[in-house]
Every structure is written in structure tokens, then in C-alpha cells.
Amino acid sequence: MQTPMIQARRVDKTFSRRGNEAKALADVNLDVYPGEFLALLGPSGCGKSTLLYIFGGLIPVTSGEILMEGRPICGAGRDRGFVFQESTLYPWLSVKDNVLFGLKLRAAGRRRHAELDRTVDDLLQLVGLTGFEQFRPDELSGGMKQRVSIAACLANKPKILLMDEPFGALDAQTRRVMQHELLRIHEMSGHTTLFVTHDIREAILLSDRVAVMSARPGTIKEIVDITLPRPRWRKGHENDHGMLRLEHRFEALLQQDVEVASRRVPGVQSSTS
Amino acid sequence: MAHSIESRPTPVADTIRSFLSRFSRVYSMIGLLIFWEVLAIVINNPLFLPRLSDVLGTTWEHLRSGELVGDIAISTFRCVSGFALAFTIGVPLGILMGWSARWDNFWNLLISFSNPIPKLGLIPLFILWLGIGEASKVGVIAAGALFPILINTYSGVRGVGKFWLWRAATCGANQLEILYKVILPAALPNIMAGARLGMAVSWILVLGAEMVAAQMGLGFRILYGQQTFDTRLVFAGLLMIAIIGFIFDRIILALSSVLCRWHFRQMDEFSAS
């Protein structure tokens, strides 16, 4: 067996607000292997984003630990690239400078401008935005912004991509296009990816494995292998018989938890949505 | 800009219209000045309301004699010194308070208490402490301009989105890099808005301080005009303050539109739609 790229070991997370405590995650164990695309699927409010933030080192665990290539993580780091649901591009920087944000932090003065220019060219070509270097984020559409976010994330050469419903804020049409774009990018570059979504079809289409989470407290309920053949980016598999069968299976798995998750727990904001 | 479809304007009418619309902002000003002149003629009491043309004549006389030039210079010097002092304290302190809970806890209540104190009321105290020289005037101005600058900077830093900070962290930025690559540019529009308010407060206070204790300056000149029943001189002083205050406001506005182009572009797009 391969050694995992990143692991969650017995992770618990409890939020407390004014004396009320709510257990967001309980005893979560998850291994993500090099090169695989793993989706975290669950109803909204089940703690899947919280778990992703914990993997990213953005919020601390209550107990348990995250191991990156066998070693405990300490805070956020550029080995774990993050793409958020909403655009987090800096509006005061051009597309180019947004993509280079991470690189310029450590390579200022050492890298040649020509080299940085080539990096930007390559990445923008990969995400299909050649020629947009000098545009500002507010001049781009939602889908284009997320393309830039992905390019900016890849620029740091992370070992794993953590994506928090990156297409959640897009319209249905753009979302489909972006899913295929992400498939293409993943199948061309082979980045290890941990992808949070509440969209069953999205999870099946993109992933090698889907980890289904149950709600409150969030735990990994089941991990399902998706054996649909790759590459998938040319052919959607939308009407594939295997895809439909998987969809029904996930629907059944999620049904009960959707009901649990939609009941509100007093005193806890859904900062985890 | 609205052209009606029915009546096609001739080129000449078009030119006149575009010429007039270019100056549409000064119509209210011109209207007020004409109203002043007419009202003064009607009232016919120069001690109560001198004619605008007389005020302009007096202004020109005092400018030519160098008296008013000296007043403008000394008032501007006091104003800019006090403002600069407030800016160099207010911006770093505002950033530290917005950034660190410890600094916020230590200063917050103190600032909330001292903010509503009318700073004009501090003039006697500052004279007792610092004498009737420049130090007390500059001190009062600094004390007054400090609060709008500090409070705006603080709220600007507090308003920086969590995800902008998280993205920087996942790009490998350390705390200092996050401070000057994310927090500072993100808070800059607020800092500049604070500077604008601070500058306005500075002009109010310089006048107050000069009326209490000074041998020179626009505030002194206005008070002197009142004491010698020279209403024209009072108006001449007020006119100078209006003009100089306007110029300084425009300088800060121009500076902030250069420094925060991204911010103003977003606003322009919003108001254009």
C-alpha cells in the first residue's frame, strides 16, 4: 500500500459559542493518496468545509491530528494549496500578480522576470485564460475568477489541492464547463486533490473515491470507489448507466443525513456551511 | 447627456450643451456668489454683509501686502504639522489595534472615551502644558485629527475578509507579509477616508487655536477683522480657508484615487449602472 499524502487521524472538532458546544466533527479518519482525486460529499452543515479548513491548517483541531506525508502539520502552508468557494483574488492586483502572489513571496529578486512571465503564461494557458494577464479581478466573470484562483493555487506547486466547493457560487451552465475544465487539468497534471461538494453528480464525475459524510457530528460514513474510466474530460458520462446507479446509491446514503442536518442546533452559526 | 430622439440637435447646440455640462458642478457655486452680490447690494450695509466684489478687493489687497500670505503660510504649516503627527500615530496604532486583540483590548475603551471630547476644549489645557507657541497648536490639531484617522484605519483593518487572509496563509505568507501585502492594501481606502476627515478636522482646529492665542494666522486675522469691525476682512479670511481647505481635500482625494484605483473603479462601475 502507498503511503498517504495527507491523513486525518481521529480528528474531533467542537465549536463553542457562549457556553453552547456543538460537535462539528467526531473521530474523523481519512487518507488521501498521491495522485488521487477524492471528493468529500455531504449535506450542507455536515462539517465537510470545516474538515477541509483543518486539512489546510486554517483552523485548529480540538483533538486528533493531521499528517502531511507522515508528519504533523503546523498551521497553513503552501504545500496545501486552497481554492475557496468565493473568489479570494485580491482586487488591487492584476490577474498576473494574483497568480504570482505566492511565488513573489519567496522568490523576490531571485527569479528572473522572464521566468515568472513564462510561469504565468503556462498556468493561464492551462486554465484557458491566455491573454488576460493584465485584467483586474472585477473585470472577470465568476467562472473566470475561479480559473484564476486555480492557476494561482497551482503556481505555488502544492503537493495537494484543497478545493472548497469551488464551483458552488457559479450558475449551472458555467459550473458544468468548469467541472470538465477541472477534469482536464487534473487528468493532465495529476495533482492530488481533496474536493468538497454537496453535489452528488459533481462528486461522481470528478473523483476516484468519494467519502460520504454524515451530519452532526460529522463523520466519514462510507468511502465509495468510482471506477468510471478515465480520461473523463472529453466524455461527460452524464447519461452513463454506471453513473446513474452510483447517483441512486449516494442519494440513498445522504437521504437520512440531509434530514438530520437541516435541523438547527441552537447557538451555533454555520460558519462551516 | 440625455439626447431626445425626436429633436435632433444641431452641431452647434451640441457643442454648447457639452460645454455647459462640463461645468455643471460649478453652477451652484456661481449661483451662490451672484446671490451674495445681489443680496449685499439690496441690504446695503457693508458692516453686516459686504459685497462679494469688495471682499475680493480686500483679499487681493491683503495678499499683495503679504499679510494674508504670511497668515496662509503659518496656518498651513500648523495644520499640516498636526495632521502629519496624527497620521504617523493614528495609522500604525489603528493597524495594530485592528490586527491584535491584545492591542485592541488595551486601547479600545480609552479611545472610545476620548473620541467624543470636543478637541477645541483642549486648547486651554494644551496652552497650560505647552505654552502659547506652536507646540500647543500643533498638539491640539494632532489630537483632533488622530481620531478619524485611527478609527477609520482600525475599521478598515477589521473589515479585511477572513478568506483574503487565509488565501495568503495558504500561499505561505508569514504574519508580516500578510500585514503589508494584504491588510495594508485592503485597508487603504479606509485609511485615506480617515485622512480626508482628519484634514478637515485639522482646518477646524487650526482656526480655533489661532483665535485663542496667536499673533498670526488665518484664525487670528478673522478675529482681528471682527474686533476692528472689518467685516470684509472676516470674509476674506473665510474665503481663503474655504479655498485652501478645498485644495487640500482634493490633494488627498487625488492621492487616494491613485493609490486605490481598484476601489474607486468598483465604485464608478456601480454608480454608472
Side-chain angles (χ1 to χ4, degrees):
Chain A
M1 198 76 194
Q2 260 179 314
T3 48
M5 178 68 81
I6 199 163
Q7 291 170 279
R9 277 219 210 131
R10 307 189 64 82
V11 166
D12 283 325
K13 179 67 188 177
T14 305
F15 287 107
S16 36
R17 299 259 194 289
R18 293 195 196 105
N20 289 319
E21 292 208 327
K23 206 160 181 127
L25 297 171
D27 196 26
V28 171
N29 291 286
L30 186 67
D31 296 349
V32 184
Y33 293 97
E36 84 167 326
F37 195 116
L38 193 148
L40 270 175
L41 177 68
S44 54
C46 75
K48 55 193 189 300
S49 290
T50 303
L51 181 57
L52 199 70
Y53 297 154
I54 287 173
F55 272 118
L58 297 170
I59 56 177
V61 295
T62 305
S63 72
E65 61 181 347
I66 301 293
L67 303 177
M68 180 80 195
E69 294 179 317
R71 290 152 73 181
I73 63 156
C74 173
R78 61 170 172 267
D79 54 349
R80 284 153 286 141
F82 224 107
V83 179
F84 297 95
Q85 178 169 4
E86 302 286 333
S87 164
T88 54
L89 300 175
Y90 300 123
W92 55 87
L93 298 178
S94 65
V95 164
K96 178 182 168 179
D97 289 331
N98 264 295
V99 172
L100 290 178
F101 181 82
L103 282 181
K104 281 189 170 172
L105 286 176
R106 59 203 150 115
R110 272 183 281 140
R111 268 170 201 256
R112 297 244 168 86
H113 279 292
E115 200 179 327
L116 290 176
D117 283 347
R118 204 167 50 239
T119 309
V120 174
D121 284 348
D122 291 348
L123 285 165
L124 288 185
Q125 193 184 359
L126 181 68
V127 299
L129 275 181
T130 303
F132 282 88
E133 289 85 351
Q134 297 309 325
F135 277 64
R136 301 270 163 174
D138 52 89
E139 294 168 324
L140 305 179
S141 69
M144 289 159 98
K145 281 183 201 166
Q146 288 306 62
R147 287 172 194 256
V148 178
S149 295
I150 292 168
C153 185
L154 293 176
N156 298 324
K157 295 201 163 52
K159 288 175 179 163
I160 183 167
L161 280 176
L162 305 173
M163 307 183 95
D164 183 21
E165 303 198 41
F167 312 138
L170 304 178
D171 61 274
Q173 204 65 37
T174 312
R175 171 187 270 235
R176 274 171 53 88
V177 171
M178 290 302 293
Q179 286 166 353
H180 282 83
E181 284 291 285
L182 183 61
L183 268 180
R184 180 177 63 79
I185 292 166
H186 174 71
E187 286 169 356
M188 282 166 70
S189 60
H191 280 94
T192 312
T193 310
L194 184 52
F195 187 99
V196 161
T197 182
H198 61 255
D199 183 332
I200 292 173
R201 295 174 67 91
E202 185 171 73
I204 299 170
L205 180 69
L206 297 174
S207 311
D208 300 308
R209 291 194 298 154
V210 175
V212 181
M213 285 187 74
S214 65
R216 239 168 246 143
T219 50
I220 307 290
K221 195 176 186 179
E222 194 167 333
I223 297 179
V224 179
D225 287 312
I226 309 294
T227 51
L228 296 174
R230 285 189 187 272
R232 298 177 197 158
W233 65 277
R234 287 184 191 282
K235 183 173 175 290
H237 292 279
E238 272 85 354
N239 302 311
D240 199 289
H241 187 62
M243 176 117 186
L244 290 173
R245 229 184 23 230
L246 281 166
E247 253 180 72
H248 289 311
R249 184 169 166 202
F250 282 117
E251 265 164 26
L253 273 170
L254 286 178
Q255 188 53 46
Q256 182 194 351
D257 287 299
V258 172
E259 283 159 20
V260 174
S262 58
R263 266 176 245 141
R264 292 187 64 84
V265 169
V268 176
Q269 298 167 356
S270 66
S271 62
T272 57
S273 70
Chain B
M1 290 303 282
H3 297 284
S4 58
I5 301 162
E6 303 87 46
S7 62
R8 235 187 118 66
T10 63
V12 177
D14 230 17
T15 315
I16 292 172
R17 190 173 300 170
S18 80
F19 180 80
L20 289 178
S21 74
R22 188 176 301 169
F23 295 101
S24 62
R25 287 184 168 201
V26 297
Y27 289 164
S28 57
M29 286 289 297
I30 293 168
L32 180 73
L33 295 178
I34 292 171
F35 180 69
W36 177 357
E37 184 75 16
V38 171
L39 193 68
I41 292 169
V42 171
I43 291 175
N44 195 21
N45 180 358
L47 192 62
F48 182 77
L49 183 69
R51 287 165 59 172
L52 172 63
S53 44
D54 288 343
V55 169
L56 290 176
T58 304
T59 308
W60 178 239
E61 258 170 49
H62 282 79
L63 279 172
R64 264 191 24 188
S65 75
E67 192 182 53
L68 211 46
V69 176
D71 289 332
I72 291 169
I74 191 75
S75 291
T76 306
F77 166 76
R78 286 165 181 156
C79 187
V80 170
S81 311
F83 175 84
L85 191 60
F87 195 81
T88 43
I89 297 169
V91 172
L93 187 57
I95 288 173
L96 277 169
M97 282 176 61
W99 193 34
S100 139
R102 197 176 297 171
W103 280 74
D104 193 7
N105 282 334
F106 185 80
W107 290 99
N108 202 311
L109 211 56
L110 187 66
I111 285 159
S112 301
F113 265 111
S114 35
N115 182 29
I117 297 172
K119 302 304 174 296
L120 279 170
L122 293 180
I123 293 173
L125 190 63
F126 274 58
I127 290 173
L128 284 175
W129 284 350
L130 302 168
I132 52 165
E134 297 307 313
S136 59
K137 297 179 189 66
V138 171
V140 166
I141 294 162
L146 176 69
F147 290 92
I149 294 172
L150 186 143
I151 290 166
N152 273 279
T153 303
Y154 171 78
S155 64
V157 173
R158 293 307 294 256
V160 179
K162 174 175 78 176
F163 291 99
W164 277 354
L165 304 177
W166 277 3
R167 183 183 156 216
T170 59
C171 284
N174 60 36
Q175 289 292 301
L176 204 64
E177 285 165 336
I178 289 175
L179 181 65
Y180 71 84
K181 294 216 166 194
V182 181
I183 293 176
L184 209 54
L188 203 55
N190 287 65
I191 294 173
M192 295 310 287
R196 221 182 146 191
L197 290 170
M199 185 53 90
V201 170
S202 298
W203 279 106
I204 293 167
L205 288 172
V206 79
L207 269 277
E210 285 173 350
M211 284 180 178
V212 173
Q215 266 71 55
M216 254 187 109
L218 288 167
F220 165 77
R221 197 61 55 198
I222 290 167
L223 195 70
Y224 182 80
Q226 180 251 309
Q227 285 163 347
T228 56
F229 295 96
D230 188 351
T231 314
R232 283 180 304 182
L233 186 59
V234 172
F235 272 108
L238 289 173
L239 200 65
M240 283 297 111
I241 290 158
I243 290 170
I244 298 164
F246 173 77
I247 290 170
F248 271 86
D249 190 52
R250 286 293 142 145
I251 290 171
I252 293 180
L253 211 57
L255 205 62
S256 60
S257 71
V258 169
L259 292 174
C260 326
R261 278 231 314 276
W262 60 276
H263 180 74
F264 286 94
R265 191 170 28 223
Q266 285 173 337
M267 293 305 290
D268 286 348
E269 274 164 25
F270 179 73
S271 57
S273 62

